[in-house]
Amino acid sequence: ARDPAVKSYPDVLLYFKGFQALQAYRVSHWLWITGRETLALFLHSRANQVFHIDIHPGAKIGFGLMIDHGTGVVIGETAEIGDNVSMLHKVTLGGSGVRGVARHPKVGNCVLLGAG
């Protein structure tokens, strides 16, 4: 485990909101790519309200993302995140405002992202 605060796997399932938000994203992403955008956005909205982590269902996220102390994390619709990325609180992968192109950053593999 990359997070030294992890004592057991049940702790992660029950108390780590970064993990829980990521699982909600995985379901909403599946809904998004299967054409159920309205339901995907509803789940995205509820997860954002509960966890204070905003991961758009259209974002592409690889394996092994760890969101540590995830309050304020924002991952936009066209963002792409590689494998084994660690992301700390208040990181925003926001958009450029330009339509018709990938508006959000692309993050490679094995990257640590922090803000502030």
Side-chain angles (χ1 to χ4, degrees):
R2 293 194 321 266
D3 188 344
V6 172
K7 304 278 189 271
S8 68
Y9 290 114
D11 285 352
V12 173
L13 294 171
L14 295 171
Y15 308 121
F16 285 62
K17 70 179 183 177
F19 176 80
Q20 295 167 340
L22 191 56
Q23 300 319 302
Y25 155 77
R26 299 274 185 212
V27 174
S28 68
H29 181 69
W30 178 82
L31 291 167
W32 185 264
I33 63 174
T34 57
R36 299 176 188 142
E37 290 91 358
T38 301
L39 188 54
L41 289 171
F42 173 77
L43 179 58
H44 159 258
S45 177
R46 289 296 302 137
N48 186 11
Q49 289 174 335
V50 172
F51 303 119
H52 304 282
I53 298 172
D54 185 352
I55 308 173
H56 192 283
K60 295 178 183 165
I61 299 177
F63 297 101
L65 174 63
M66 180 189 74
I67 301 174
D68 193 21
H69 302 285
T71 300
V73 166
V74 178
I75 301 172
E77 179 180 6
T78 59
E80 295 181 23
I81 300 174
D83 297 335
N84 299 313
V85 171
S86 297
M87 187 177 294
L88 306 179
H89 68 286
K90 296 188 179 179
V91 168
T92 298
L93 300 179
S96 66
V98 178
R99 294 198 179 273
V101 297
R103 303 179 317 272
H104 300 87
K106 292 178 177 41
V107 178
N109 297 326
C110 303
V111 175
L112 172 63
L113 298 171

